[in-house]
């Protein structure tokens, strides 16, 4: 049997890139909040993390949005789906810690070499 090639582990210093897509709002249960905490933990471990809020997930970025502020403080780039935000009339109510983005940004991120995409 052939021995599989050695892989560099995260513990050895290589940081991964994560693109996390959240489509649920916090009222849908604890899963959405836990997913965003996972993003914060990954960033705290030194990984590049981007969160894309889509559908009802965009509501997490409206108003004061303390969870979004925590993500931004941890170094997570938070993107909000422009179409979902427009459909929910969130134009002037979004956190200053987010950027509006379209599906082209999702496609580009997921096409990057070594990017790990996770949809919740």
């Amino acid at each position: 049997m052939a021995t599989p090639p050695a892989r560099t582990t995260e513990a050895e210093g290589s940081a991964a890139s994560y693109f996390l897509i959240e489509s649920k709002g916090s009222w849908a249960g604890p899963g959405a909040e836990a997913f965003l905490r996972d993003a914060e933990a990954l960033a705290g471990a030194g990984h590049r993390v981007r969160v894309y809020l889509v559908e009802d997930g965009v509501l997490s970025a409206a108003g004061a949005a303390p969870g979004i502020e925590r993500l931004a403080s941890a170094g997570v780039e938070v993107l909000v789906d422009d179409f979902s935000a427009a459909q929910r009339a969130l134009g002037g109510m979004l956190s200053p810690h987010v950027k509006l983005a379209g599906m082209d940004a999702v496609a580009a991120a997921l096409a990057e070499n070594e990017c790990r995409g996770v949809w919740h």
Side-chain angles (χ1 to χ4, degrees):
M1 288 185 112
T3 305
R7 293 176 22 164
T8 304
T9 65
E10 293 168 5
E12 295 174 324
S14 72
S17 175
Y18 291 90
F19 194 84
L20 307 178
I21 302 169
E22 178 56 72
S23 62
K24 299 176 171 109
S26 57
W27 67 89
E33 291 296 324
F35 191 70
L36 296 179
R37 283 194 306 273
D38 289 344
E40 186 178 354
L42 287 166
H47 302 291
R48 179 181 184 199
V49 180
R50 290 166 285 178
V51 170
Y52 187 77
L53 302 173
V54 65
E55 297 173 355
D56 286 341
V58 300
L59 297 171
S60 299
I68 300 301
E69 188 171 338
R70 276 194 317 275
L71 287 173
S73 294
V76 175
E77 182 180 2
V78 183
L79 306 170
V80 171
D81 179 61
D82 54 0
F83 180 79
S84 298
Q87 289 296 307
R88 288 154 181 85
L90 297 179
M93 300 186 320
L94 291 173
S95 165
H97 303 289
V98 303
K99 291 186 233 177
L100 287 173
M103 282 295 164
D104 55 333
V106 175
L110 294 175
E112 291 174 2
N113 192 26
E114 303 294 323
C115 180
R116 299 173 185 176
V118 182
W119 188 302
H120 180 257

